[in-house]
Amino acid sequence: MTAIVENPTRTPHRTYSRWTALVVLCAGTLMTILDGNIVTVAMPAIQSDLGFSGSGLAWVVNAYLIPFGGLLLLAGRLGDLVGRKRMFAAGLAVFTAASVLCGVATGQGMLIAARALQGVGGAMTSAVVLGMLVALFPEPRAQARAIAVFSAVGAAGGALGTFLGGALTQALNWHWIFLINLPIGVVALLAAVRVLDADEGEGLGRGADYPGAVLVTGALMLTVYAIVGSGDREVTGTLLLALVALVLFTAFGLRQARAARPLLRLRLFGSRLLSGANAVQILMIATMYGFQFLGALYLQRVLGFGELLTGTAFLPAPIVIGVLMLGLSARTIGRFGAYRVLLAGLVLIVAGMALLSRVPADGSYLADVLPALLSLSVGFAAAMPALTGLAMSGAREEDAGLASGLFNTTQVVGGSLGLAVLSVLAASRTEGLVAGGAEVVSATAEGYQAAFRVGTAIAVGALALAAVVLRPRAGARG
């Protein structure tokens, strides 16, 4: 793996170790990741308390995803200009304040607006983290260990959010799934100001190509909006939104090719590793997000689990992911190479989704869910650090913030795509069976089976793409 080499002319004085700085970066990232999943189990309670309709409830999630996914590239570039530490700290402040507003929300409009503000803060924080990480750890071995730690926090945080959502909602109420961010955010912000090294950035005078920023932000927001809202509108409406987004992306590409100071340097896409890793990530994250969402619903609607029990059922995932990523990932990648580890992880993800495609109406957690959960967790623990390392190794140091923003953007797009496609497919299959006279629980289980079969196909696509595009060149270490 080719490491991003830090600028040799920049030798900051470090009062704290870089591993302490990594802890701070992980803490800030953990908040945003938890918030992407913590609301899943609490949705029925939020709907009951604030009177959301079925379609309106989706905006508790969509209002966060749209600005988060739409602003990542701009936030990454601004981080390169004004300094990544400043962008990270400002994002923590915005996210924490927005979390408090979510927690005290007493109406639908206030909650949705606060969730959108959370998305802005989440984008500011997440867009620059990987760029800061690779600058902190330029050596290949240390960088692999740091990426493993960061990936473990991110991956485990997603599953941990499901558990915390259920525990806090059942023990207290849904407001606390947001209010818990206040102490975490304050501590993380104070630590970031004190621990992270200041970086001046290139300066706002270099420009961020604001017309280009408007084009790409609009295109990304429309893309996420078209995906996450596809189940609530006619197909023609979704296609129209997708067409407008494509026009905006095309205009953005033409703008970047001609702009003196482009927002997104198109040379980034000349990197086979960076482009290929982002494409693989879209498919892989689509699979994993679909599993987290539909898996929780299967436990609740088919097996009859309550909120806390559903959250507890997902606990093996963060434990397995954390142990494997922290204890084995960096050493495994160092021994076998990121490419081989990535392929092995994707094979396990395919196997896990294939197991889920058989979940019956009279199933059990131990026999039908846990084996798939463990296979997916081990696979993701192997694949994610390897994929992250491959993606970031394809960017120059001065492009690290932008590459980080791009990698996070494809995560959001992939997650939104998987969530929308698989949930709509499951619902459509279930509704068709119920209309034909099938029993509700049986029809619901068959709907999830159909969705998981498509998820398996998506995972196979990720494996095939990785095998072809990310194969090491002759003479390179795999």
Side-chain angles (χ1 to χ4, degrees), residues 37-47 57 165-166 169 174 177 307:
N37 295 274
I38 202 169
V39 299
T40 303
V41 181
M43 294 284 265
I46 294 173
Q47 182 177 22
L57 185 64
T169 301
W174 67 265
I177 68 174
E307 295 163 344

Side-chain angles (χ1 to χ4, degrees), residues 89-114:
L92 284 178
V94 172
F95 188 90
T96 303
S99 296
V100 174
L101 292 176
C102 288
V104 300
T106 56
Q108 298 179 17
M110 181 177 179
L111 179 59
I112 290 174

Side-chain angles (χ1 to χ4, degrees), residues 85-438:
K85 176 182 177 177
R86 291 191 183 95
M87 181 61 67
F88 181 78
L92 284 178
V94 172
F95 188 90
T96 303
S99 296
V100 174
L101 292 176
C102 288
V104 300
T106 56
Q108 298 179 17
M110 181 177 179
L111 179 59
I112 290 174
R115 286 286 285 166
L117 187 60
Q118 269 192 317
V120 174
M124 294 169 66
T125 300
S126 301
V128 295
V129 169
L130 282 176
M132 298 173 77
L133 187 151
V134 296
L136 279 169
F137 299 91
E139 308 90 356
R141 187 176 297 274
Q143 188 178 108
R145 288 178 60 200
I147 287 176
V149 172
F150 177 77
S151 298
V153 170
L160 186 61
T162 305
F163 169 74
L164 286 176
L168 290 171
T169 301
Q170 188 160 317
L172 299 169
N173 57 59
W174 67 265
H175 296 274
W176 285 95
I177 68 174
F178 301 113
L179 293 176
I180 195 176
N181 287 331
L182 178 58
I184 300 173
V186 170
V187 171
L189 179 58
L190 293 175
V193 172
R194 188 172 181 84
V195 171
L196 299 180
D197 280 336
D199 57 314
E200 295 302 320
E202 301 174 26
L204 280 175
R206 293 291 303 274
D209 183 26
Y210 296 106
V214 172
L215 288 171
V216 74
T217 300
L220 285 169
M221 284 187 172
L222 270 179
T223 299
V224 177
Y225 174 62
I227 292 171
V228 298
S230 59
D232 298 323
R233 70 172 76 92
E234 296 292 333
V235 174
T236 53
T238 299
L239 291 176
L240 180 60
L241 288 172
L243 179 61
V244 174
L246 179 61
V247 170
L248 291 176
F249 274 125
T250 302
F252 171 72
L254 293 174
R255 167 77 188 178
Q256 298 314 285
R258 300 175 182 177
R261 295 169 179 171
L263 173 69
L264 177 60
R265 301 180 182 100
L266 296 183
R267 67 168 184 252
L268 278 176
F269 295 103
S271 167
R272 175 181 58 91
L273 292 178
L274 181 66
S275 298
N278 276 279
V280 170
Q281 179 175 235
I282 289 176
L283 299 177
M284 184 179 78
I285 297 296
T287 300
M288 295 302 297
Y289 260 64
F291 153 69
Q292 283 189 337
F293 184 75
L294 295 179
L297 291 179
Y298 173 77
L299 292 176
Q300 290 178 300
R301 295 179 178 177
V302 178
L303 300 189
F305 282 29
E307 295 163 344
L308 180 58
L309 191 55
T310 298
T312 304
F314 274 85
L315 267 185
I319 294 172
V320 169
I321 290 170
V323 169
L324 291 181
M325 282 189 176
L326 295 178
L328 297 174
S329 179
R331 283 181 289 178
T332 304
I333 291 173
R335 180 175 180 180
F336 297 104
Y339 174 74
R340 294 186 182 92
V341 174
L342 172 62
L343 293 189
L346 289 172
V347 167
L348 288 173
I349 290 174
V350 170
M353 292 303 294
L355 288 173
L356 285 172
S357 67
R358 301 169 57 251
V359 289
D362 58 348
S364 70
Y365 171 73
L366 291 178
D368 300 300
V369 178
L370 184 59
L373 178 70
L374 294 176
S375 182
L376 288 164
S377 300
V378 175
F380 194 71
M384 194 61 192
L387 192 62
T388 304
L390 288 169
M392 294 305 293
S393 70
R396 303 179 185 180
E397 196 277 335
E398 65 269 21
D399 293 330
L402 187 57
S404 173
L406 178 63
F407 196 68
N408 281 286
T409 298
T410 57
Q411 279 191 4
V412 176
V413 172
S416 302
L417 182 64
L419 192 62
V421 171
L422 297 184
S423 61
V424 168
L425 193 153
S428 299
R429 175 64 174 161
T430 298
E431 290 170 3
L433 290 170
V434 170

